[in-house]
Amino acid sequence: MTPRRTADPEPAPVWERPEPPARRTPHPLSRELIVGAALELADADGLDGVSIRRVAAALEVGPMRLYGYVDTKSELLDLMADAVYAEIVPPAPAAGRPPLDWRAGLRLIAALTRRAALRHEWFPELLGGRPHVGPHALAALEAKLAALNSAPNLAGRPAELRRAAAAFQSYLVGSLRTELSERQADRAEGRSEEQWRDANSPYLRRVVAAGRHPLLAELIVEGEHPAPAEEFEAGLEIVLDGIAALVS
């Protein structure tokens, strides 16, 4: 009778795995250097521009030298995302000053997230799937939960806290992906959103003149097109109002 083979143990996550010993070489390596090179590639060419081979070439080493620091591209993307989360963790309140109230705290986190996403346009592509569990990602999540937990009547209600956090995160991911998609379309087409609207305005006016889209007609006639930052902040206030209604 053949004994049953036990499953191989799961490898330690990259966050808990030590780096290979330092080597005397003209091109030293570290996870920090590897992630820095990967960030530069992604900022320039998007996630499609990131590979173990391209990162190694940027660091002037062979691809095999990167293994041990990172074993897969998935690990590399996790490390890159965590580096961006470091830009989202809000600073601690200055000594002697009280923490921000829950709405101001969430506004700050939203502003930091948007600023990081505009700097690293690939970052929102990594959001919305499985949660990130790197140290900076967990610190950013804890800051978000702490802000929400300070809302009246939300402390001690984990189910409502989870729903509020999910709604807040969904708004950030959706709105930032939309804004960045428009920016990328502007670059790809070589024309601004305003130029796109001007080109399509005659057609849309003919369509709404038929009377089948009265609400759309109101929006077109109104003609208001707020800046992306204003649109982002206005939508955020609607989400915060919804959270306030949840806990009232």
Side-chain angles (χ1 to χ4, degrees), residues 33-241:
L33 289 172
I34 292 169
V35 172
L39 290 175
E40 290 185 6
L41 290 171
D43 291 345
D45 301 323
L47 291 179
D48 290 340
V50 178
S51 67
I52 297 294
R53 186 174 297 278
R54 288 198 68 191
V55 172
L59 295 171
E60 300 181 358
V61 299
M64 294 304 297
R65 279 200 59 195
L66 268 61
Y67 293 102
Y69 296 96
V70 290
D71 287 347
T72 63
K73 182 178 178 179
S74 178
E75 281 190 352
L76 179 58
L77 295 178
D78 285 342
L79 289 165
M80 293 165 59
D82 204 62
V84 179
Y85 275 110
E87 303 176 20
I88 297 173
V89 179
R97 298 190 63 179
L100 298 173
D101 69 73
W102 72 273
R103 292 183 75 122
L106 291 178
R107 289 191 193 104
L108 175 59
I109 292 171
L112 292 172
T113 303
R114 180 173 181 268
R115 185 175 69 179
L118 295 180
R119 184 181 297 126
H120 311 286
E121 293 188 6
W122 49 269
F123 178 62
E125 297 180 39
L126 300 181
L127 302 177
R130 290 179 176 174
H132 294 110
V133 295
H136 294 120
L138 294 179
L141 176 58
E142 182 69 19
K144 176 173 62 180
L145 294 175
L148 284 165
N149 199 56
S150 66
N153 302 321
L154 199 53
R157 299 168 65 185
E160 286 80 0
L161 181 66
R162 178 181 56 78
R163 294 190 191 102
F168 177 73
Q169 183 71 4
S170 295
Y171 172 73
L172 294 185
V173 173
S175 61
L176 290 173
R177 282 184 174 176
T178 298
E179 180 178 352
L180 292 173
S181 293
E182 291 175 352
R183 286 181 55 164
Q184 291 159 3
D186 290 348
R187 290 198 296 267
E189 297 176 6
R191 59 178 176 175
S192 67
E193 183 183 358
E194 183 177 359
Q195 291 171 323
W196 179 89
R197 286 198 304 267
D198 290 342
N200 286 275
S201 179
Y203 158 71
L204 290 174
R205 290 185 180 276
R206 288 194 298 272
V207 170
V208 300
R212 292 191 297 271
H213 309 288
L215 296 178
L216 178 59
E218 287 185 17
L219 295 181
I220 293 177
V221 171
E222 180 186 10
E224 181 180 351
H225 300 287
E230 296 175 5
E231 192 81 16
F232 179 81
E233 292 167 3
L236 177 62
E237 291 306 310
I238 294 174
V239 174
L240 297 183
D241 288 344

